[in-house]
Amino acid sequence: MADIRFTVTLDDKGSPVIKKLDENVTGLDRSTRAAAGSTRTLGSDFFGKLIPAMTAGLLAAEALRRTFSLVKNQLREMAAAAIEAEKIDRGLEASLVITGRSTAGAAESFKAYASALQKKTIYDDEAIKSSQSLLLQMTSLSKDGIDRATRGTIGLASVLGTDLNAAALLVAKAMEGNFGALSRYGIKVRETGTLEEKRIDLLEKLDKFYLRAEADARTFAGALEQIKNIY
């Protein structure tokens, strides 16, 4: 098959046209390259700003979630503490009624005494009021006797390193004549005399233990415990 060839002949008037066409092609190439570069820069700037913004948003959301969780837990703890405090107060009042000691102002007097002991020892007033309730129901002691037995309970708990309820149970039994449990801890009560005389003998011994409880509150650890009891 024969080749078909075209010969294009340009005179001097054609040179400017070719030059203009070449310039247009070159300009188009430059524009294309510039547009591509701008696109890459735009993409880089967009994602460069988007990723930190998204990260900051996620961190803020997590911080907000943790804050709400903390507040919710604190509210739950406050509600539980309020319920427990009310339960203990009602228990003390009920103990006074059940044992026939519910005179005018009796409950408030016991509560005030518990608050006073809290300020001098490492035990919170709610634990002290629980001990008072136990002593009220398990003994026939008078108001002054309960107060002294409560001090003795705190002293015994300090010396033995036990909680107040356990110590109160030991003291309550002893106040009613069962001194055997305390004797196992080396606390001896006179063997002769009336029950009242033995009670007095025991309370005098427990009074010395109470001094230990006050001394514990004056230590650094005791001071921290008192702060915790207040707040």
Side-chain angles (χ1 to χ4, degrees):
M1 184 177 183
D3 292 335
I4 301 174
R5 297 181 179 181
F6 293 91
T7 301
V8 178
T9 303
L10 297 174
D11 57 15
D12 291 340
K13 293 182 181 179
S15 296
V17 175
I18 296 299
K19 183 178 181 181
K20 184 66 175 178
L21 179 61
D22 181 63
E23 289 176 353
N24 288 339
V25 171
T26 301
L28 178 61
D29 179 66
R30 289 175 181 173
S31 298
T32 302
R33 291 177 181 274
S38 297
T39 302
R40 286 195 298 270
T41 301
L42 178 61
S44 177
D45 288 345
F46 176 74
F47 287 106
K49 294 178 181 179
L50 177 62
I51 292 174
M54 290 178 64
T55 302
L58 290 173
L59 291 175
E62 177 62 15
L64 188 61
R65 185 191 68 79
R66 289 177 179 270
T67 300
F68 278 130
S69 178
L70 179 62
V71 170
K72 182 178 69 174
N73 290 337
Q74 288 181 334
L75 289 175
R76 185 182 293 113
E77 290 175 3
M78 289 172 61
I83 292 171
E84 183 64 18
E86 183 182 26
K87 178 182 176 182
I88 290 172
D89 281 348
R90 296 295 175 266
L92 177 60
E93 293 165 4
S95 297
L96 289 168
V97 173
I98 292 169
T99 59
R101 297 183 177 96
S102 184
T103 58
E108 295 307 316
S109 178
F110 278 111
K111 293 174 186 178
Y113 191 62
S115 296
L117 291 175
Q118 174 183 275
K119 295 176 182 178
K120 297 179 180 180
T121 68
I122 64 172
Y123 300 98
D124 65 81
D125 60 344
E126 292 178 3
I128 295 171
K129 284 184 283 189
S130 291
S131 298
Q132 289 173 323
S133 295
L134 191 151
L135 291 168
L136 280 166
Q137 294 191 89
M138 295 189 65
T139 72
S140 56
L141 296 172
S142 64
K143 170 66 168 63
D144 290 340
I146 293 293
D147 287 348
R148 287 195 67 185
T150 301
R151 282 168 52 95
T153 293
I154 292 173
L156 185 63
S158 297
V159 172
L160 298 182
T162 187
D163 62 78
L164 283 187
N165 271 351
L169 184 60
L170 290 173
V171 172
K173 289 180 178 180
M175 289 295 103
E176 293 305 299
N178 183 0
F179 301 100
L182 284 178
S183 67
R184 290 196 290 271
Y185 294 99
I187 303 172
K188 304 293 185 181
V189 178
R190 59 186 294 179
E191 296 181 358
T192 61
T194 64
L195 176 59
E196 186 60 28
E197 289 172 337
K198 292 178 180 180
R199 283 175 173 172
I200 293 173
D201 184 39
L202 175 60
L203 289 173
E204 288 175 352
K205 288 179 169 63
L206 294 179
D207 279 342
K208 296 177 182 178
F209 291 172
Y210 176 76
L211 297 177
R212 160 70 182 277
E214 288 194 345
D216 287 346
R218 291 192 291 269
T219 65
F220 179 71
L224 292 178
E225 195 69 24
Q226 285 188 311
I227 292 173
K228 186 180 75 173
N229 291 338
I230 294 172
Y231 298 101

